[in-house]
Amino acid sequence: ASINPNPTEGYIKIVLENQNKIEKIDVYSVSGRVVYNAFNRSELDISGLSSGLYILKAKTAEGQITRKIIKQ
């Protein structure tokens, strides 16, 4: 899976290699707190978050994808 663009100023798109659908997305601060979540979406608007490093976890039928994202 890839996340574009990264770093981002707000909008990100998650691209999966196969035909999996994203069931749930959680975005965590580096302190481990959930700061954003969404269901059944591959595009997110995180423009409301502060600049910094975040951890994105996307759940699909085949498992979980974890990626670091940088919000500018």
Side-chain angles (χ1 to χ4, degrees):
S2 63
I3 297 174
N4 299 310
N6 191 13
T8 181
E9 293 187 6
Y11 287 93
I12 56 175
K13 181 173 177 72
I14 302 166
V15 179
L16 302 175
E17 286 87 12
N18 49 25
Q19 296 300 315
N20 270 340
K21 291 202 183 320
I22 295 171
E23 297 170 359
K24 182 179 182 199
I25 297 170
D26 289 315
V27 177
Y28 295 85
S29 65
V30 288
S31 64
R33 189 170 59 94
V34 175
V35 294
Y36 184 96
N37 60 13
F39 297 90
N40 303 314
R41 295 174 50 192
S42 61
E43 295 185 17
L44 307 177
D45 176 9
I46 59 167
S47 58
L49 299 180
S50 301
S51 297
L53 177 68
Y54 294 90
I55 306 298
L56 180 142
K57 292 186 180 180
K59 183 175 185 273
T60 70
E62 292 189 3
Q64 184 168 283
I65 299 155
T66 304
R67 296 286 186 274
K68 291 179 184 174
I69 52 175
I70 297 170
K71 166 72 169 54
Q72 292 182 321

Short mmCIF file of all heavy atoms in Angstrom, two decimals:
data_model
loop_
_atom_site.label_atom_id
_atom_site.label_comp_id
_atom_site.label_asym_id
_atom_site.label_seq_id
_atom_site.Cartn_x
_atom_site.Cartn_y
_atom_site.Cartn_z
N ALA A 1 0.84 -1.19 0.00
CA ALA A 1 0.00 0.00 0.00
C ALA A 1 0.88 1.24 0.00
O ALA A 1 1.97 1.23 0.54
CB ALA A 1 -0.90 0.00 1.23
N SER A 2 0.38 2.29 -0.62
CA SER A 2 1.11 3.55 -0.62
C SER A 2 0.15 4.68 -0.25
O SER A 2 -1.06 4.57 -0.42
CB SER A 2 1.76 3.82 -1.97
OG SER A 2 0.77 3.97 -2.96
N ILE A 3 0.72 5.74 0.26
CA ILE A 3 -0.05 6.92 0.66
C ILE A 3 0.51 8.10 -0.11
O ILE A 3 1.72 8.36 -0.08
CB ILE A 3 0.05 7.15 2.18
CG1 ILE A 3 -0.55 5.97 2.91
CG2 ILE A 3 -0.61 8.45 2.56
CD1 ILE A 3 -0.39 6.00 4.40
N ASN A 4 -0.36 8.80 -0.82
CA ASN A 4 0.07 9.93 -1.65
C ASN A 4 -0.79 11.15 -1.36
O ASN A 4 -2.00 11.00 -1.24
CB ASN A 4 -0.07 9.58 -3.13
CG ASN A 4 0.79 8.40 -3.50
OD1 ASN A 4 1.96 8.36 -3.19
ND2 ASN A 4 0.21 7.42 -4.15
N PRO A 5 -0.27 12.35 -1.32
CA PRO A 5 1.16 12.62 -1.18
C PRO A 5 1.59 12.45 0.27
O PRO A 5 0.77 12.54 1.18
CB PRO A 5 1.27 14.08 -1.61
CG PRO A 5 -0.04 14.68 -1.20
CD PRO A 5 -1.06 13.57 -1.38
N ASN A 6 2.83 12.20 0.48
CA ASN A 6 3.38 12.08 1.83
C ASN A 6 4.81 12.58 1.79
O ASN A 6 5.65 11.93 1.19
CB ASN A 6 3.33 10.62 2.31
CG ASN A 6 3.63 10.47 3.78
OD1 ASN A 6 3.66 11.44 4.52
ND2 ASN A 6 3.87 9.25 4.21
N PRO A 7 5.10 13.75 2.40
CA PRO A 7 4.29 14.56 3.30
C PRO A 7 3.10 15.21 2.60
O PRO A 7 3.10 15.38 1.39
CB PRO A 7 5.25 15.63 3.80
CG PRO A 7 6.58 15.37 3.19
CD PRO A 7 6.43 14.27 2.23
N THR A 8 2.10 15.58 3.41
CA THR A 8 0.88 16.17 2.89
C THR A 8 0.53 17.44 3.64
O THR A 8 0.95 17.63 4.77
CB THR A 8 -0.30 15.17 3.00
OG1 THR A 8 -1.46 15.78 2.45
CG2 THR A 8 -0.57 14.80 4.45
N GLU A 9 -0.26 18.28 2.98
CA GLU A 9 -0.78 19.47 3.65
C GLU A 9 -2.21 19.24 4.12
O GLU A 9 -2.77 20.07 4.80
CB GLU A 9 -0.71 20.68 2.72
CG GLU A 9 0.73 21.07 2.44
CD GLU A 9 0.86 22.36 1.66
OE1 GLU A 9 -0.16 23.03 1.43
OE2 GLU A 9 1.99 22.69 1.29
N GLY A 10 -2.81 18.11 3.74
CA GLY A 10 -4.18 17.86 4.20
C GLY A 10 -4.81 16.62 3.62
O GLY A 10 -5.23 15.75 4.34
N TYR A 11 -4.88 16.54 2.29
CA TYR A 11 -5.56 15.40 1.68
C TYR A 11 -4.57 14.28 1.37
O TYR A 11 -3.49 14.54 0.86
CB TYR A 11 -6.26 15.82 0.38
CG TYR A 11 -7.48 16.65 0.62
CD1 TYR A 11 -7.42 18.03 0.63
CD2 TYR A 11 -8.71 16.05 0.87
CE1 TYR A 11 -8.55 18.80 0.87
CE2 TYR A 11 -9.84 16.80 1.12
CZ TYR A 11 -9.75 18.18 1.11
OH TYR A 11 -10.86 18.93 1.36
N ILE A 12 -4.96 13.05 1.71
CA ILE A 12 -4.14 11.90 1.35
C ILE A 12 -5.03 10.82 0.73
O ILE A 12 -6.22 10.74 1.02
CB ILE A 12 -3.38 11.31 2.56
CG1 ILE A 12 -4.32 10.94 3.70
CG2 ILE A 12 -2.28 12.23 3.02
CD1 ILE A 12 -3.64 10.25 4.86
N LYS A 13 -4.42 10.03 -0.13
CA LYS A 13 -5.11 8.91 -0.77
C LYS A 13 -4.32 7.65 -0.51
O LYS A 13 -3.10 7.63 -0.67
CB LYS A 13 -5.24 9.15 -2.27
CG LYS A 13 -5.97 8.04 -2.99
CD LYS A 13 -6.22 8.42 -4.43
CE LYS A 13 -6.88 7.30 -5.20
NZ LYS A 13 -8.26 7.06 -4.86
N ILE A 14 -5.02 6.60 -0.08
CA ILE A 14 -4.38 5.31 0.17
C ILE A 14 -4.63 4.43 -1.04
O ILE A 14 -5.77 4.24 -1.46
CB ILE A 14 -4.97 4.66 1.43
CG1 ILE A 14 -4.77 5.58 2.63
CG2 ILE A 14 -4.32 3.30 1.68
CD1 ILE A 14 -5.58 5.20 3.83
N VAL A 15 -3.54 3.92 -1.62
CA VAL A 15 -3.63 3.07 -2.81
C VAL A 15 -3.19 1.66 -2.41
O VAL A 15 -2.07 1.47 -1.94
CB VAL A 15 -2.74 3.62 -3.94
CG1 VAL A 15 -2.83 2.72 -5.16
CG2 VAL A 15 -3.12 5.05 -4.28
N LEU A 16 -4.07 0.69 -2.59
CA LEU A 16 -3.77 -0.70 -2.29
C LEU A 16 -3.37 -1.43 -3.56
O LEU A 16 -3.88 -1.13 -4.64
CB LEU A 16 -4.98 -1.39 -1.66
CG LEU A 16 -5.52 -0.75 -0.38
CD1 LEU A 16 -6.79 -1.46 0.07
CD2 LEU A 16 -4.48 -0.80 0.72
N GLU A 17 -2.46 -2.40 -3.43
CA GLU A 17 -1.98 -3.14 -4.61
C GLU A 17 -3.06 -4.05 -5.19
O GLU A 17 -3.11 -4.28 -6.37
CB GLU A 17 -0.76 -3.99 -4.25
CG GLU A 17 0.51 -3.21 -4.06
CD GLU A 17 0.69 -2.69 -2.64
OE1 GLU A 17 -0.07 -3.13 -1.75
OE2 GLU A 17 1.58 -1.85 -2.43
N ASN A 18 -3.92 -4.60 -4.35
CA ASN A 18 -4.93 -5.53 -4.84
C ASN A 18 -6.31 -4.91 -4.74
O ASN A 18 -6.44 -3.71 -4.53
CB ASN A 18 -4.84 -6.85 -4.06
CG ASN A 18 -4.80 -6.61 -2.56
OD1 ASN A 18 -5.30 -5.58 -2.09
ND2 ASN A 18 -4.23 -7.51 -1.81
N GLN A 19 -7.32 -5.68 -4.88
CA GLN A 19 -8.69 -5.16 -4.91
C GLN A 19 -9.33 -5.05 -3.52
O GLN A 19 -10.53 -4.97 -3.40
CB GLN A 19 -9.56 -6.07 -5.81
CG GLN A 19 -9.13 -6.08 -7.25
CD GLN A 19 -9.18 -4.71 -7.88
OE1 GLN A 19 -10.14 -3.98 -7.72
NE2 GLN A 19 -8.14 -4.34 -8.61
N ASN A 20 -8.50 -5.07 -2.49
CA ASN A 20 -9.03 -4.93 -1.14
C ASN A 20 -9.73 -3.60 -0.95
O ASN A 20 -9.33 -2.60 -1.52
CB ASN A 20 -7.89 -5.01 -0.11
CG ASN A 20 -7.65 -6.41 0.35
OD1 ASN A 20 -8.51 -7.26 0.22
ND2 ASN A 20 -6.47 -6.65 0.89
N LYS A 21 -10.74 -3.62 -0.12
CA LYS A 21 -11.41 -2.39 0.28
C LYS A 21 -10.99 -2.07 1.71
O LYS A 21 -10.82 -2.96 2.54
CB LYS A 21 -12.92 -2.55 0.21
CG LYS A 21 -13.46 -2.68 -1.20
CD LYS A 21 -14.92 -2.29 -1.20
CE LYS A 21 -15.62 -2.44 -2.51
NZ LYS A 21 -14.97 -2.09 -3.70
N ILE A 22 -10.83 -0.80 1.98
CA ILE A 22 -10.47 -0.37 3.33
C ILE A 22 -11.74 -0.34 4.16
O ILE A 22 -12.73 0.30 3.79
CB ILE A 22 -9.80 1.00 3.29
CG1 ILE A 22 -8.47 0.89 2.54
CG2 ILE A 22 -9.60 1.55 4.70
CD1 ILE A 22 -7.81 2.21 2.26
N GLU A 23 -11.72 -1.05 5.28
CA GLU A 23 -12.87 -1.09 6.17
C GLU A 23 -12.83 0.03 7.20
O GLU A 23 -13.84 0.66 7.49
CB GLU A 23 -12.93 -2.44 6.88
CG GLU A 23 -13.13 -3.61 5.93
CD GLU A 23 -12.95 -4.95 6.60
OE1 GLU A 23 -12.67 -5.00 7.82
OE2 GLU A 23 -13.10 -5.97 5.91
N LYS A 24 -11.65 0.28 7.75
CA LYS A 24 -11.52 1.28 8.79
C LYS A 24 -10.13 1.87 8.77
O LYS A 24 -9.16 1.16 8.51
CB LYS A 24 -11.79 0.65 10.17
CG LYS A 24 -11.73 1.65 11.30
CD LYS A 24 -12.02 1.01 12.64
CE LYS A 24 -12.00 2.11 13.70
NZ LYS A 24 -11.83 1.60 15.04
N ILE A 25 -10.05 3.16 9.03
CA ILE A 25 -8.76 3.85 9.12
C ILE A 25 -8.71 4.60 10.44
O ILE A 25 -9.65 5.29 10.81
CB ILE A 25 -8.59 4.87 7.98
CG1 ILE A 25 -8.57 4.16 6.64
CG2 ILE A 25 -7.33 5.70 8.18
CD1 ILE A 25 -8.64 5.08 5.46
N ASP A 26 -7.59 4.43 11.14
CA ASP A 26 -7.32 5.21 12.35
C ASP A 26 -6.00 5.93 12.14
O ASP A 26 -5.04 5.34 11.64
CB ASP A 26 -7.21 4.31 13.59
CG ASP A 26 -8.54 3.72 14.01
OD1 ASP A 26 -9.54 4.47 14.03
OD2 ASP A 26 -8.58 2.52 14.32
N VAL A 27 -5.97 7.19 12.53
CA VAL A 27 -4.73 7.96 12.51
C VAL A 27 -4.38 8.28 13.96
O VAL A 27 -5.21 8.80 14.70
CB VAL A 27 -4.87 9.26 11.68
CG1 VAL A 27 -3.59 10.07 11.74
CG2 VAL A 27 -5.24 8.94 10.24
N TYR A 28 -3.15 7.92 14.34
CA TYR A 28 -2.69 8.09 15.72
C TYR A 28 -1.62 9.17 15.79
O TYR A 28 -0.77 9.26 14.90
CB TYR A 28 -2.06 6.78 16.23
CG TYR A 28 -3.01 5.64 16.35
CD1 TYR A 28 -3.30 4.83 15.25
CD2 TYR A 28 -3.64 5.34 17.55
CE1 TYR A 28 -4.17 3.76 15.35
CE2 TYR A 28 -4.51 4.27 17.66
CZ TYR A 28 -4.77 3.49 16.56
OH TYR A 28 -5.65 2.43 16.65
N SER A 29 -1.64 9.93 16.88
CA SER A 29 -0.53 10.83 17.17
C SER A 29 0.64 9.97 17.64
O SER A 29 0.46 8.80 17.95
CB SER A 29 -0.93 11.83 18.25
OG SER A 29 -1.16 11.15 19.48
N VAL A 30 1.83 10.56 17.72
CA VAL A 30 2.99 9.79 18.18
C VAL A 30 2.83 9.36 19.64
O VAL A 30 3.47 8.42 20.08
CB VAL A 30 4.31 10.55 17.98
CG1 VAL A 30 4.68 10.59 16.52
CG2 VAL A 30 4.26 11.93 18.57
N SER A 31 1.94 10.02 20.38
CA SER A 31 1.70 9.62 21.77
C SER A 31 0.70 8.46 21.87
O SER A 31 0.44 7.96 22.95
CB SER A 31 1.19 10.81 22.58
OG SER A 31 -0.06 11.25 22.10
N GLY A 32 0.16 8.02 20.71
CA GLY A 32 -0.71 6.85 20.69
C GLY A 32 -2.19 7.15 20.76
O GLY A 32 -3.01 6.24 20.84
N ARG A 33 -2.56 8.42 20.72
CA ARG A 33 -3.97 8.81 20.80
C ARG A 33 -4.58 8.84 19.40
O ARG A 33 -3.96 9.33 18.45
CB ARG A 33 -4.07 10.20 21.44
CG ARG A 33 -5.45 10.64 21.78
CD ARG A 33 -5.41 11.92 22.61
NE ARG A 33 -4.74 13.01 21.94
CZ ARG A 33 -5.36 13.94 21.21
NH1 ARG A 33 -6.68 13.92 21.09
NH2 ARG A 33 -4.68 14.90 20.63
N VAL A 34 -5.79 8.31 19.25
CA VAL A 34 -6.49 8.37 17.96
C VAL A 34 -6.94 9.81 17.72
O VAL A 34 -7.66 10.38 18.53
CB VAL A 34 -7.71 7.41 17.92
CG1 VAL A 34 -8.48 7.58 16.62
CG2 VAL A 34 -7.27 5.97 18.10
N VAL A 35 -6.50 10.40 16.61
CA VAL A 35 -6.84 11.78 16.31
C VAL A 35 -7.76 11.91 15.09
O VAL A 35 -8.29 12.98 14.82
CB VAL A 35 -5.57 12.64 16.10
CG1 VAL A 35 -4.78 12.75 17.40
CG2 VAL A 35 -4.68 12.06 15.00
N TYR A 36 -7.96 10.80 14.37
CA TYR A 36 -8.83 10.82 13.18
C TYR A 36 -9.22 9.39 12.88
O TYR A 36 -8.40 8.49 13.02
CB TYR A 36 -8.06 11.41 11.99
CG TYR A 36 -8.89 11.58 10.73
CD1 TYR A 36 -9.47 12.80 10.42
CD2 TYR A 36 -9.07 10.53 9.86
CE1 TYR A 36 -10.22 12.96 9.27
CE2 TYR A 36 -9.81 10.67 8.71
CZ TYR A 36 -10.39 11.90 8.42
OH TYR A 36 -11.13 12.04 7.28
N ASN A 37 -10.47 9.18 12.49
CA ASN A 37 -10.84 7.85 12.00
C ASN A 37 -11.91 7.98 10.93
O ASN A 37 -12.60 8.99 10.84
CB ASN A 37 -11.25 6.89 13.11
CG ASN A 37 -12.43 7.36 13.91
OD1 ASN A 37 -13.13 8.29 13.53
ND2 ASN A 37 -12.66 6.73 15.03
N ALA A 38 -11.98 6.96 10.10
CA ALA A 38 -12.92 6.94 8.98
C ALA A 38 -13.24 5.49 8.64
O ALA A 38 -12.48 4.59 8.96
CB ALA A 38 -12.32 7.65 7.76
N PHE A 39 -14.37 5.30 7.97
CA PHE A 39 -14.81 3.96 7.58
C PHE A 39 -15.06 3.92 6.08
O PHE A 39 -15.64 4.86 5.51
CB PHE A 39 -16.10 3.57 8.32
CG PHE A 39 -15.91 3.49 9.81
CD1 PHE A 39 -16.10 4.59 10.61
CD2 PHE A 39 -15.51 2.30 10.40
CE1 PHE A 39 -15.91 4.52 11.98
CE2 PHE A 39 -15.32 2.21 11.77
CZ PHE A 39 -15.52 3.33 12.56
N ASN A 40 -14.64 2.83 5.44
CA ASN A 40 -14.93 2.56 4.02
C ASN A 40 -14.51 3.70 3.10
O ASN A 40 -15.24 4.07 2.20
CB ASN A 40 -16.42 2.26 3.84
CG ASN A 40 -16.86 1.09 4.68
OD1 ASN A 40 -16.21 0.06 4.73
ND2 ASN A 40 -17.96 1.26 5.38
N ARG A 41 -13.33 4.27 3.35
CA ARG A 41 -12.83 5.36 2.50
C ARG A 41 -11.36 5.15 2.22
O ARG A 41 -10.63 4.58 3.03
CB ARG A 41 -13.02 6.70 3.22
CG ARG A 41 -14.48 7.02 3.42
CD ARG A 41 -14.71 8.26 4.24
NE ARG A 41 -13.94 9.38 3.75
CZ ARG A 41 -13.80 10.50 4.45
NH1 ARG A 41 -14.36 10.63 5.61
NH2 ARG A 41 -13.10 11.49 3.96
N SER A 42 -10.91 5.65 1.06
CA SER A 42 -9.48 5.58 0.74
C SER A 42 -8.87 6.98 0.64
O SER A 42 -7.67 7.11 0.47
CB SER A 42 -9.26 4.82 -0.57
OG SER A 42 -9.90 5.48 -1.62
N GLU A 43 -9.71 8.02 0.75
CA GLU A 43 -9.21 9.39 0.73
C GLU A 43 -9.57 10.06 2.05
O GLU A 43 -10.69 9.93 2.52
CB GLU A 43 -9.81 10.17 -0.44
CG GLU A 43 -9.38 9.62 -1.78
CD GLU A 43 -9.88 10.46 -2.94
OE1 GLU A 43 -10.26 11.62 -2.71
OE2 GLU A 43 -9.88 9.95 -4.06
N LEU A 44 -8.59 10.77 2.61
CA LEU A 44 -8.79 11.41 3.90
C LEU A 44 -8.45 12.89 3.82
O LEU A 44 -7.56 13.28 3.06
CB LEU A 44 -7.89 10.78 4.97
CG LEU A 44 -7.93 9.29 5.15
CD1 LEU A 44 -6.91 8.88 6.20
CD2 LEU A 44 -9.31 8.85 5.58
N ASP A 45 -9.10 13.69 4.65
CA ASP A 45 -8.76 15.10 4.80
C ASP A 45 -8.27 15.28 6.23
O ASP A 45 -9.07 15.34 7.16
CB ASP A 45 -9.98 15.97 4.53
CG ASP A 45 -9.69 17.45 4.76
OD1 ASP A 45 -8.51 17.81 4.98
OD2 ASP A 45 -10.65 18.24 4.73
N ILE A 46 -6.95 15.36 6.39
CA ILE A 46 -6.39 15.55 7.73
C ILE A 46 -5.89 16.98 7.90
O ILE A 46 -5.02 17.25 8.73
CB ILE A 46 -5.27 14.53 8.02
CG1 ILE A 46 -4.13 14.64 7.02
CG2 ILE A 46 -5.82 13.11 8.07
CD1 ILE A 46 -2.87 13.89 7.44
N SER A 47 -6.44 17.92 7.13
CA SER A 47 -5.99 19.30 7.19
C SER A 47 -6.24 19.93 8.56
O SER A 47 -5.59 20.89 8.93
CB SER A 47 -6.65 20.14 6.09
OG SER A 47 -8.06 20.08 6.22
N GLY A 48 -7.16 19.36 9.34
CA GLY A 48 -7.44 19.89 10.68
C GLY A 48 -6.43 19.47 11.73
O GLY A 48 -6.47 19.99 12.85
N LEU A 49 -5.52 18.58 11.39
CA LEU A 49 -4.52 18.12 12.35
C LEU A 49 -3.32 19.07 12.35
O LEU A 49 -3.03 19.71 11.35
CB LEU A 49 -4.04 16.71 12.01
CG LEU A 49 -5.09 15.60 12.03
CD1 LEU A 49 -4.46 14.28 11.66
CD2 LEU A 49 -5.77 15.51 13.38
N SER A 50 -2.62 19.11 13.48
CA SER A 50 -1.40 19.92 13.59
C SER A 50 -0.29 19.30 12.75
O SER A 50 -0.31 18.10 12.45
CB SER A 50 -0.94 19.97 15.03
OG SER A 50 -1.95 20.51 15.85
N SER A 51 0.69 20.11 12.40
CA SER A 51 1.85 19.59 11.67
C SER A 51 2.59 18.59 12.53
O SER A 51 2.66 18.74 13.75
CB SER A 51 2.79 20.74 11.31
OG SER A 51 2.15 21.64 10.45
N GLY A 52 3.12 17.56 11.90
CA GLY A 52 3.90 16.58 12.64
C GLY A 52 3.78 15.19 12.05
O GLY A 52 3.25 14.99 10.96
N LEU A 53 4.28 14.22 12.80
CA LEU A 53 4.30 12.82 12.39
C LEU A 53 3.10 12.08 12.97
O LEU A 53 2.76 12.27 14.14
CB LEU A 53 5.60 12.16 12.89
CG LEU A 53 5.77 10.68 12.61
CD1 LEU A 53 5.94 10.43 11.12
CD2 LEU A 53 6.96 10.14 13.37
N TYR A 54 2.46 11.27 12.15
CA TYR A 54 1.31 10.47 12.57
C TYR A 54 1.48 9.04 12.08
O TYR A 54 2.21 8.79 11.12
CB TYR A 54 0.00 11.06 12.00
CG TYR A 54 -0.32 12.42 12.56
CD1 TYR A 54 0.14 13.56 11.94
CD2 TYR A 54 -1.07 12.55 13.73
CE1 TYR A 54 -0.13 14.82 12.46
CE2 TYR A 54 -1.35 13.80 14.25
CZ TYR A 54 -0.87 14.92 13.62
OH TYR A 54 -1.14 16.16 14.15
N ILE A 55 0.78 8.13 12.72
CA ILE A 55 0.77 6.73 12.31
C ILE A 55 -0.64 6.42 11.79
O ILE A 55 -1.62 6.64 12.48
CB ILE A 55 1.09 5.79 13.49
CG1 ILE A 55 2.40 6.18 14.17
CG2 ILE A 55 1.12 4.34 13.01
CD1 ILE A 55 3.63 6.12 13.31
N LEU A 56 -0.71 5.92 10.56
CA LEU A 56 -1.98 5.56 9.95
C LEU A 56 -2.10 4.04 9.96
O LEU A 56 -1.18 3.34 9.55
CB LEU A 56 -2.03 6.09 8.52
CG LEU A 56 -3.30 5.79 7.74
CD1 LEU A 56 -3.67 6.98 6.87
CD2 LEU A 56 -3.17 4.55 6.90
N LYS A 57 -3.23 3.56 10.46
CA LYS A 57 -3.51 2.12 10.42
C LYS A 57 -4.81 1.92 9.65
O LYS A 57 -5.85 2.46 10.02
CB LYS A 57 -3.64 1.56 11.84
CG LYS A 57 -2.34 1.57 12.59
CD LYS A 57 -2.44 0.89 13.93
CE LYS A 57 -1.10 0.92 14.64
NZ LYS A 57 -1.14 0.28 15.95
N ALA A 58 -4.71 1.15 8.56
CA ALA A 58 -5.87 0.87 7.72
C ALA A 58 -6.19 -0.62 7.81
O ALA A 58 -5.31 -1.46 7.61
CB ALA A 58 -5.59 1.25 6.27
N LYS A 59 -7.44 -0.94 8.12
CA LYS A 59 -7.86 -2.34 8.25
C LYS A 59 -8.58 -2.75 6.97
O LYS A 59 -9.48 -2.06 6.50
CB LYS A 59 -8.79 -2.48 9.45
CG LYS A 59 -9.23 -3.91 9.72
CD LYS A 59 -10.06 -3.96 11.00
CE LYS A 59 -10.40 -5.38 11.36
NZ LYS A 59 -11.60 -5.87 10.73
N THR A 60 -8.14 -3.89 6.40
CA THR A 60 -8.80 -4.47 5.23
C THR A 60 -9.22 -5.89 5.58
O THR A 60 -8.90 -6.40 6.65
CB THR A 60 -7.85 -4.50 4.01
OG1 THR A 60 -6.83 -5.46 4.25
CG2 THR A 60 -7.24 -3.14 3.73
N ALA A 61 -9.90 -6.53 4.66
CA ALA A 61 -10.33 -7.91 4.88
C ALA A 61 -9.12 -8.84 5.04
O ALA A 61 -9.22 -9.87 5.70
CB ALA A 61 -11.21 -8.38 3.73
N GLU A 62 -7.98 -8.48 4.46
CA GLU A 62 -6.80 -9.34 4.51
C GLU A 62 -5.84 -8.98 5.63
O GLU A 62 -4.81 -9.63 5.78
CB GLU A 62 -6.07 -9.30 3.17
CG GLU A 62 -6.86 -9.97 2.07
CD GLU A 62 -6.06 -10.13 0.80
OE1 GLU A 62 -4.87 -9.77 0.77
OE2 GLU A 62 -6.63 -10.61 -0.19
N GLY A 63 -6.13 -7.96 6.40
CA GLY A 63 -5.23 -7.61 7.49
C GLY A 63 -5.14 -6.11 7.70
O GLY A 63 -6.01 -5.36 7.28
N GLN A 64 -4.05 -5.70 8.33
CA GLN A 64 -3.86 -4.29 8.68
C GLN A 64 -2.61 -3.74 8.02
O GLN A 64 -1.60 -4.42 7.92
CB GLN A 64 -3.74 -4.15 10.20
CG GLN A 64 -3.63 -2.72 10.67
CD GLN A 64 -3.80 -2.61 12.16
OE1 GLN A 64 -4.90 -2.67 12.67
NE2 GLN A 64 -2.70 -2.45 12.86
N ILE A 65 -2.70 -2.49 7.57
CA ILE A 65 -1.59 -1.78 6.95
C ILE A 65 -1.23 -0.64 7.89
O ILE A 65 -2.11 0.10 8.32
CB ILE A 65 -1.99 -1.23 5.57
CG1 ILE A 65 -2.38 -2.38 4.65
CG2 ILE A 65 -0.89 -0.38 4.98
CD1 ILE A 65 -3.32 -1.97 3.55
N THR A 66 0.05 -0.49 8.19
CA THR A 66 0.50 0.59 9.06
C THR A 66 1.54 1.41 8.30
O THR A 66 2.49 0.86 7.76
CB THR A 66 1.11 0.04 10.36
OG1 THR A 66 0.15 -0.79 11.00
CG2 THR A 66 1.52 1.16 11.29
N ARG A 67 1.34 2.72 8.25
CA ARG A 67 2.28 3.62 7.58
C ARG A 67 2.44 4.90 8.39
O ARG A 67 1.52 5.33 9.07
CB ARG A 67 1.77 4.02 6.18
CG ARG A 67 1.64 2.87 5.20
CD ARG A 67 2.98 2.40 4.70
NE ARG A 67 2.86 1.41 3.67
CZ ARG A 67 2.74 0.11 3.86
NH1 ARG A 67 2.69 -0.37 5.09
NH2 ARG A 67 2.67 -0.74 2.87
N LYS A 68 3.63 5.51 8.27
CA LYS A 68 3.86 6.81 8.87
C LYS A 68 3.44 7.88 7.86
O LYS A 68 3.69 7.73 6.66
CB LYS A 68 5.34 7.01 9.21
CG LYS A 68 5.82 6.12 10.33
CD LYS A 68 7.28 6.34 10.59
CE LYS A 68 7.77 5.37 11.66
NZ LYS A 68 9.21 5.44 11.85
N ILE A 69 2.81 8.93 8.34
CA ILE A 69 2.47 10.05 7.47
C ILE A 69 2.97 11.34 8.14
O ILE A 69 3.00 11.43 9.36
CB ILE A 69 0.96 10.15 7.16
CG1 ILE A 69 0.12 10.12 8.43
CG2 ILE A 69 0.54 9.07 6.21
CD1 ILE A 69 -1.36 10.32 8.16
N ILE A 70 3.38 12.27 7.31
CA ILE A 70 3.87 13.54 7.80
C ILE A 70 2.91 14.63 7.33
O ILE A 70 2.67 14.78 6.14
CB ILE A 70 5.29 13.83 7.28
CG1 ILE A 70 6.25 12.76 7.82
CG2 ILE A 70 5.75 15.23 7.69
CD1 ILE A 70 7.62 12.79 7.21
N LYS A 71 2.36 15.37 8.29
CA LYS A 71 1.47 16.48 8.00
C LYS A 71 2.29 17.75 8.08
O LYS A 71 2.93 18.03 9.08
CB LYS A 71 0.33 16.51 9.03
CG LYS A 71 -0.49 17.79 9.06
CD LYS A 71 -1.37 17.92 7.86
CE LYS A 71 -2.39 19.04 8.00
NZ LYS A 71 -1.86 20.34 8.32
N GLN A 72 2.33 18.51 6.98
CA GLN A 72 3.13 19.74 6.94
C GLN A 72 2.37 20.91 7.53
O GLN A 72 1.17 20.94 7.56
CB GLN A 72 3.53 20.08 5.51
CG GLN A 72 4.49 19.08 4.95
CD GLN A 72 4.93 19.43 3.54
OE1 GLN A 72 4.14 19.88 2.74
NE2 GLN A 72 6.18 19.19 3.24
#
